[in-house]
Amino acid sequence: MILGGFNLSNEIKTIAVLTSGGDAPGMNAAIRATVRTAISRGLKVKGIKRGFNGLLHEEIIDMEPRHVSDIIQRGGTVLGTARCLEFKEKEYQKMGADICRKHGIDGMVVIGGDGSFRGAQALAREGIKTIGIPGTIDLDIPCTDYTIGFDTAVNTAMEAIDKVKDTSSSHERCSIIEVMGRNAGYIALWCGVANGAEDVLIPEKYDFDEQTIINHIIQSRKRGKSHHLIINAEGIGHSTSMARRIEAATGIETRATILGYMQRGGNPTAKDRYYASIMGAHAVDTLLAGKSNRVIGFCNGTFQDFDIDEAMSQKKEINEYEFEVAKLLTI
Ligand code: ADP
Ligand code: F6P
C-alpha cells in the first residue's frame, strides 16, 4: 500500500512504544498518535512503562485506542519515564532485544532525547527495528529544528520571566533568571529575545567575563533603564553566587531565580500537540516502510527521517545571527 509517500509493507505485526529520559510536554500526543496510527494500519501495539528500565523488567502492556483517550492535552508521559544506566551495557541491550522478541515486538518507537537514541541504536543493532522521536525541552538534537516539549517549555519560562520582570522593574533591581536546557542554550536564547532581556548567557557563547556584564548593568542604569534582566542558561549555572558578585560590584540589588522543573510540566501548546502527533504517525509509517535506526525530524519545513548514527554525529550550533540580534535588541 502506498500512502502519503510511504510504501507500507506488512512485515511488521506488532510494535511497542516507550518514553525515556526527561519527560516533555507533548510526549502524550506522540504516544497517542503512535498507538492510533499503528492500530489503524492493522498492527498490535504494546506500551512499555518507565523507558528501558521497564523493558528490562518486562513492564509491557497491550494498548488499545481507548488507552490513549483524553491524554493529548496532558503534560508528562502516561507511560512514565526513567533513566536506566544498565542499558548502556551490551549485555542488557541484548536482553532488551530478546525480551522484545519474546513479546512478539518487531518494531519499537523510542520517544526521548539523544541518550534515549543511543538506546534505540543499540536495539536496532540487536535486530529490533527502531525509530526515534525527539522528545526533549532542550531542543539539542541535531537534524531537527523541532523537539517535542521545547515550545511549551519556552512559553512557560517566558510567562514566568514576565512576572519576575514586573517586580524587578518596580524595585529597580537586577534579576538573573536561570532556565533549563542542560548543555544547550536554546531556551535561554528564546527567552532572552521573547522577554527582552539585557543579557543572555548560554554555554555555546559565554566567555565567563563577568566584568563585561557588570559594565553593561552600570551603563544601562546611566541610560535610564529601571531594571536589568539576565537570562542565564542552566549549562552555566551558579546564578545565586553570580547575583551576589554583581550586587557587590554594582551596588544594585540583584536577585537570582531558578525556574527549575516547572518548565518541564504543564499542558502542551498547540504546536507541541500538532508536531508530536505528526511525528508519532510518521514513526509508525517509517517502521512500516521497513526502515530502522532512524530518527524523525522536522527540517526545512517538512517531516523527514534521518539515520540515527549520522544525526548523532553532527553538532547542533546556535545560529550566530540570531544570537547577535538578541544582543543588539537590548540597547
Ligand atoms: P535523554 O534521552 O533525555 O537524553 P538520558 O541521556 O538520561 O536522557 O538517556 C535516557 C536513557 O537512555 C538512559 O537512562 C539509558 O537508559 C539510555 N541511554 C543513554 N545513553 C545510552 C547509551 N550510550 N547506550 C544505550 N542506552 C543509553
Ligand atoms: O533534558 C531535559 C532536562 O530538563 C534538562 O533541561 C535538565 O538539565 C535535565 O533534564 C534535568 O534532569 P533530571 O530530571 O534528571 O533532574
Side-chain angles (χ1 to χ4, degrees), residues 25-184:
M27 280 185 165
N28 283 329
I31 295 169
R32 173 178 175 272
T34 301
V35 170
R36 292 192 173 172
T37 304
I39 290 171
S40 302
R41 304 275 192 248
L43 306 181
K44 285 206 171 105
V45 190
K46 303 207 180 253
I48 298 173
K49 303 273 220 173
R50 300 182 189 84
F52 295 114
N53 206 30
L55 174 62
L56 296 180
H57 290 93
E58 297 190 53
E59 293 183 70
I60 301 174
I61 53 170
D62 291 327
M63 296 201 78
E64 302 295 340
R66 295 286 77 75
H67 288 136
V68 289
S69 294
D70 205 24
I71 65 167
I72 193 167
Q73 76 283 13
R74 284 165 51 192
T77 155
V78 290
L79 287 175
T81 184
R83 317 260 190 213
C84 172
L85 296 182
E86 293 104 308
F87 211 72
K88 293 185 179 178
E89 292 166 34
K90 202 163 170 44
E91 179 195 348
Y92 288 97
Q93 296 164 358
K94 197 173 166 318
M95 186 194 285
D98 288 341
I99 291 170
C100 287
R101 280 185 276 271
K102 177 177 157 192
H103 288 263
I105 296 167
D106 316 298
M108 173 85 85
V109 174
V110 172
I111 308 168
D114 54 353
S116 304
F117 292 163
R118 300 272 173 225
Q121 241 176 355
L123 276 180
R125 266 197 310 268
E126 295 297 334
I128 304 299
K129 287 198 160 60
T130 309
I131 306 292
I133 298 182
T136 167
I137 64 165
D138 303 334
L139 195 68
D140 59 348
I141 309 285
C143 88
T144 182
D145 300 332
Y146 168 83
T147 63
I148 296 173
F150 173 76
D151 190 59
T152 306
V154 86
N155 275 288
T156 302
M158 180 193 72
E159 284 171 20
I161 294 165
D162 280 344
K163 292 181 170 75
V164 177
K165 195 171 167 182
D166 284 347
T167 162
S168 173
S169 303
S170 305
H171 285 263
E172 298 184 58
R173 282 175 176 155
C174 169
S175 266
I176 302 176
I177 304 189
E178 188 173 310
V179 295
M180 274 188 166
R182 206 183 293 232
N183 299 318

Side-chain angles (χ1 to χ4, degrees), residues 157 160-162 164-166 168-169 172-180 185 187-203 206 208-218 220-221 225-234 236-250 252-259 263 323 326-327 330:
I161 294 165
D162 280 344
V164 177
K165 195 171 167 182
D166 284 347
S168 173
S169 303
E172 298 184 58
R173 282 175 176 155
C174 169
S175 266
I176 302 176
I177 304 189
E178 188 173 310
V179 295
M180 274 188 166
I187 298 179
L189 175 62
W190 276 58
C191 287
V193 173
N195 293 102
E198 275 66 32
D199 281 296
V200 185
L201 315 182
I202 58 175
Y206 187 48
F208 292 90
D209 177 7
E210 229 165 73
Q211 192 55 47
T212 303
I213 303 170
I214 289 165
N215 295 345
H216 191 198
I217 296 169
I218 294 168
S220 301
R221 228 4 102 99
K225 283 210 179 195
S226 59
H227 63 266
H228 194 102
L229 179 61
I230 301 170
I231 308 292
N232 186 29
E234 173 189 22
I236 293 170
H238 303 287
S239 297
T240 308
S241 57
M242 199 186 288
R244 271 198 302 271
R245 287 192 297 274
I246 288 177
E247 181 165 313
T250 60
I252 295 168
E253 269 192 320
T254 304
R255 299 281 193 270
T257 305
I258 298 169
L259 294 185
Q263 294 162 93
F323 185 63
K327 285 195 288 190
T330 71

